[in-house]
Amino acid sequence: MARFALLLQVAALATGIAADAGQSPAAEDIDHANNESLLWGPYKPNLYFGVRPRSPNGLWTGLMWSRADSYSDPQHGFRYTCEQRDDIHGYGWDEYDARTGGVQTIHDEKNLIDITTSFVKIPGGEHGGSWAARIKGTLRDGAPADLKTMLFYFIAQEGVGEVAPEGKGGKFGFDDDVTFKGNSKSLGDFTLVVTKGEGKHPTSQHHISETRKGDKTLVHSSAYSEDVMWQGQPIVFSQLQESVSYIQKNYAADGLPPAWQVYRVEHRPGEGNVHVVEKTFQGPFEFDVIFSSASAGKAMTSDDVTEQLKLSSKSFSDRFSRIFDFKAPFTAAKYHAFGKSMFSNLLGGVGYFHGHQLIDRSYATEYDEDSERFWEEAAEARSRGAQKLEGPYELYTSVPSRPFFPRGFLWDEGFHLVPIADWDINVALDIVRSWYKTMDDDGWIPREQILGPEARSRVPEEFQVQYPHYANPPTLFLIIEGFMKRLRESKADGGDGQAGGNLYTAYLDNPEVGEKYVKEMYPLLRRQYDWFRKTQRGDIKSYDREAYSTKEAYRWKGRTETHVLPSGLDDYPRPQPPHPGELHVDLMSWVGLMAKSLINIADALGMKEDVAELERNLNAIERNLDDLHWSEKEGCYCDATVDDFEEHQLVCHKGYVSLSPFFLGLIKHDSPKMGRILDLIGDEDHIFSPHGIRSLSKQDPLYETGENYWRSPVWMPMNYLILTELHNVASHKGPFQEKARDLYSRLRKNLVDTVYKSWEETGFAWEQYHPETGAGQRTQHFTGWTSLVVKIMAMEDLSESRGKDEL
Ligand SMILES: *[C@@H]1O[C@H](CO)[C@@H](O)[C@H](O)[C@H]1NC(C)=O
């Protein structure tokens, strides 16, 4: 009976929204159903496994573990927050869907154990449904059969609400399942059960075994203030320290009990907002954590969890093959497994963040970006530090890297959402909306979102403050524009004819609801565009520059001598020394992209005046790109500055910056400039490498110099944009179609081969790749935009062999 009910719930999820045939549900119904469906998730991606709701306060939980065979094990092998270290051979989601859950594996070399965390969500009721986590440990090769592992499940209640264990168990711990009961305004009544699970427990001959038994589950309840309770690991360590001190005081060094009997929290179940549940196993083990929402009906059992995990795994696999239909030469099963992992880690990295953020609103007024040595004045003004905490803000976002960058980054997010939008457009649109809610009245969005003390604890102090005159590439436009295009197509074919549709595509299946979303977003996008044009303006008039338009020229504010952090391309070479008369071609191209997207959206919304105005602006950008940035001699676009006589001067560093008008779609397909740029892209002596397009030309004097961050390595997001535009040119009749087709096919293969090979060897996706060896570099477990490789495998195969076959 229970099983039948659960199956029905999954069916309801697939259909998504209840609606009478032929009648679309209102936007509010869809949003409500969507909110319910997305309430729970592993939304603390900074933890190996941390579950929380997508709301400011509430119940959250996290998993910790360590080997417990020697006294020094927890010191070196304690796991809680994701860390970049070489004693884990890969970890992450093998499968993950934001609506149903997924499976994560952690290959913990140091602790000689593989931990699997399976997570499943079951909809129902009025409080976001129920969820369960199955935590399983299997011994790695070389582990002793009697390997001892201690696990801590951390349960915390933030804000108003209650959660407490039922009963006290025995004097020395619980023998069976431990049930917590709780309630809060947003979650209603609920139970959370940590099951007894399966597995052996250690025993010892030490006489302390009378009170410290391996088969007991311990619960330590206590109360902490909110600025402390996020610090899970220090809290558990301090509780363990008490136990260690007791042992040290009462036992001589030669009479110590084994390690697993030393590291035990005091069994003290009761009131409190933090509950630490400790279990000790010998050999492999498995147990469940089951959260059942009272309004969802009957509480779940471990059998139900088993059943649900099977269902959600199957539905993930089916959907994956359907959505990411990999094209030759990436049809083999190994690419399928690779793609699933890359995509699941991207979507499994989506988190919910809440808290205050450091913003300095007076900094921009304390120095003058137009003064001759502005960057030196800026450095001085910066040290005054007038930042204040603002907020609280909330943000629903994916993250570039769980161990290293577990927070939102504005320009990364547009790339993250490219594959996510294919999988679940409603999740992508929710994320875009969440980002735009953090925009201020002027139209500025902080490029890095460091919300709350937990997020701040991971960022060096000098990078914590956000400045409201710093921009960042507006990549979220790519997502809204992509949605607009799909919306128009779905309208053209009359939607999918399915009343209500499912939640993954609800805004597409109900075009009037999708349109409402775009209508709400348009003024926000427009505000951001206006902000760019107002605050990032470059100077044409003071230097008598000859250009079609006197308005369209741009300069990133906030550069230093060595870096332009707002551009995203940090140390990419720019004119030297910095100058207020500088113009940046990549920024102009991004503004061009914004204008182009806004035209499409305004046009679809029937806003004729906006369309006309934006078309004039876009035309001015296209003309000025040529007038201010094209170098006929170099055959590419370049940044500009002024020389000693204040004359306009191009500064060419061939690489991503010079390709920006190309990869943002601002060059006519039949323009001779297109031909020159394609020549550059394909030139192995400059930027084409066997592993993708280099960030900077091999011939550039600054190639591989300094930090060498954006001065040679291959980066996936830029390569994805280049590939997309090559595909675009290759798909339309024109003089460069064949050239683009050839470059597209080779680049596509090089990119996938490189990321795949490195993943196979190291178990990780990386931040960037070495242009000569293809080795992954810098940040490990970089499952943000490197995951674009999934999209690339699903892109069209235009290779020669296929062309011939078809002829
Ligand atoms: C969905 O959630 C968002 C914030 O998380 C909230 O602003 C919105 O009102 C909710 N919508 C509905 C219909 O419940």
Side-chain angles (χ1 to χ4, degrees), residues 28 31-32 35 54 394 437:
E28 205 164 310
D31 286 348
H32 181 73
N35 279 2
R54 201 174 70 146
E394 63 174 345
K437 275 193 188 158

Side-chain angles (χ1 to χ4, degrees), residues 4-21:
F4 184 56
L6 285 166
L7 283 169
L8 276 181
Q9 281 163 354
V10 168
L13 174 74
T15 323
I17 311 135
D20 294 335

Side-chain angles (χ1 to χ4, degrees), residues 419-440:
I420 292 178
D422 284 350
W423 178 264
D424 191 327
I425 185 70
N426 272 53
V427 163
L429 294 176
D430 253 24
I431 288 176
V432 170
R433 178 156 49 194
S434 181
W435 271 94
Y436 277 92
K437 275 193 188 158
T438 70
M439 184 166 75
D440 72 6

Side-chain angles (χ1 to χ4, degrees), residues 301-348:
T301 65
S302 284
D303 285 346
D304 298 332
V305 175
T306 305
E307 190 68 24
Q308 286 296 315
L309 285 171
K310 259 191 235 150
L311 285 171
S312 74
S313 179
K314 172 146 185 8
S315 88
F316 175 84
S317 284
D318 292 350
R319 188 171 174 80
F320 192 86
S321 315
R322 209 166 58 241
I323 302 288
F324 298 113
D325 176 17
F326 294 163
K327 309 295 190 308
F330 308 113
T331 51
K334 62 177 189 175
Y335 293 111
H336 201 70
F338 165 60
K340 274 182 171 177
S341 162
M342 293 294 288
F343 176 75
S344 299
N345 279 307
L346 173 67
L347 190 56

Side-chain angles (χ1 to χ4, degrees), residues 268-427:
R268 212 176 71 190
E271 304 280 303
N273 57 9
V274 170
H275 307 275
V276 176
V277 181
E278 179 175 2
K279 284 178 173 294
T280 316
F281 288 102
Q282 178 169 312
F285 59 85
E286 177 180 308
F287 66 94
D288 294 340
V289 177
I290 305 175
F291 174 93
S292 299
S293 170
S295 72
K298 185 185 162 295
M300 268 189 294
T301 65
S302 284
D303 285 346
D304 298 332
V305 175
T306 305
E307 190 68 24
Q308 286 296 315
L309 285 171
K310 259 191 235 150
L311 285 171
S312 74
S313 179
K314 172 146 185 8
S315 88
F316 175 84
S317 284
D318 292 350
R319 188 171 174 80
F320 192 86
S321 315
R322 209 166 58 241
I323 302 288
F324 298 113
D325 176 17
F326 294 163
K327 309 295 190 308
F330 308 113
T331 51
K334 62 177 189 175
Y335 293 111
H336 201 70
F338 165 60
K340 274 182 171 177
S341 162
M342 293 294 288
F343 176 75
S344 299
N345 279 307
L346 173 67
L347 190 56
V350 169
Y352 174 86
F353 303 87
H354 182 263
H356 291 78
Q357 129 138 309
L358 279 171
I359 297 178
D360 185 343
R361 290 195 184 266
S362 67
Y363 177 53
T365 60
E366 285 178 23
Y367 73 95
D368 181 6
E369 280 270 346
D370 291 328
S371 86
E372 207 177 322
R373 299 193 73 79
F374 67 90
W375 69 98
E376 289 170 353
E377 288 176 24
E380 213 172 287
R382 191 169 167 156
S383 61
R384 279 173 224 157
Q387 63 269 22
K388 292 195 177 72
L389 281 174
E390 286 188 15
Y393 291 94
E394 63 174 345
L395 186 66
Y396 184 52
T397 186
S398 188
V399 303
S401 159
R402 288 170 59 195
F404 210 67
F405 301 113
R407 56 188 171 275
F409 284 76
L410 180 54
W411 89 298
D412 294 64
E413 199 54 24
F415 293 108
H416 297 160
L417 293 182
V418 168
I420 292 178
D422 284 350
W423 178 264
D424 191 327
I425 185 70
N426 272 53
V427 163

Side-chain angles (χ1 to χ4, degrees), residues 114-254:
D114 284 340
I115 300 266
T116 310
T117 62
S118 306
F119 176 67
V120 68
K121 306 208 293 184
I122 296 103
E126 309 141 33
H127 297 97
S130 305
W131 58 267
R134 173 155 295 169
I135 293 147
K136 188 173 166 171
T138 48
L139 305 194
R140 286 180 66 82
D141 284 349
D146 65 347
L147 180 90
K148 288 155 203 81
T149 306
M150 54 184 182
L151 297 106
F152 305 87
Y153 203 77
F154 194 88
I155 301 167
Q157 171 65 47
E158 251 173 29
V160 182
E162 280 167 27
V163 58
E166 237 183 359
K168 304 260 173 223
K171 200 168 161 200
F172 307 117
F174 286 90
D175 287 313
D176 214 324
D177 296 356
V178 184
T179 300
F180 291 84
K181 275 189 172 297
N183 69 79
S184 66
K185 193 154 172 281
S186 57
L187 299 177
D189 289 325
F190 59 84
T191 58
L192 188 145
V193 179
V194 180
T195 67
K196 177 175 169 58
E198 285 162 28
K200 292 201 184 106
H201 303 281
T203 53
S204 91
Q205 299 306 315
H206 198 281
H207 71 87
I208 204 171
S209 301
E210 282 169 31
T211 58
R212 298 191 170 202
K213 299 182 202 298
D215 59 352
K216 303 282 182 191
T217 300
L218 310 174
V219 176
H220 186 96
S221 304
S222 47
Y224 290 91
S225 65
E226 295 213 349
D227 51 343
V228 174
M229 70 192 287
W230 62 268
Q231 303 175 58
Q233 183 165 333
I235 287 177
V236 170
F237 269 31
S238 75
Q239 294 175 3
L240 292 178
Q241 186 56 46
E242 285 174 31
S243 166
V244 171
S245 302
Y246 173 83
I247 298 284
Q248 279 171 337
K249 224 181 279 163
N250 292 281
Y251 294 90
D254 56 359

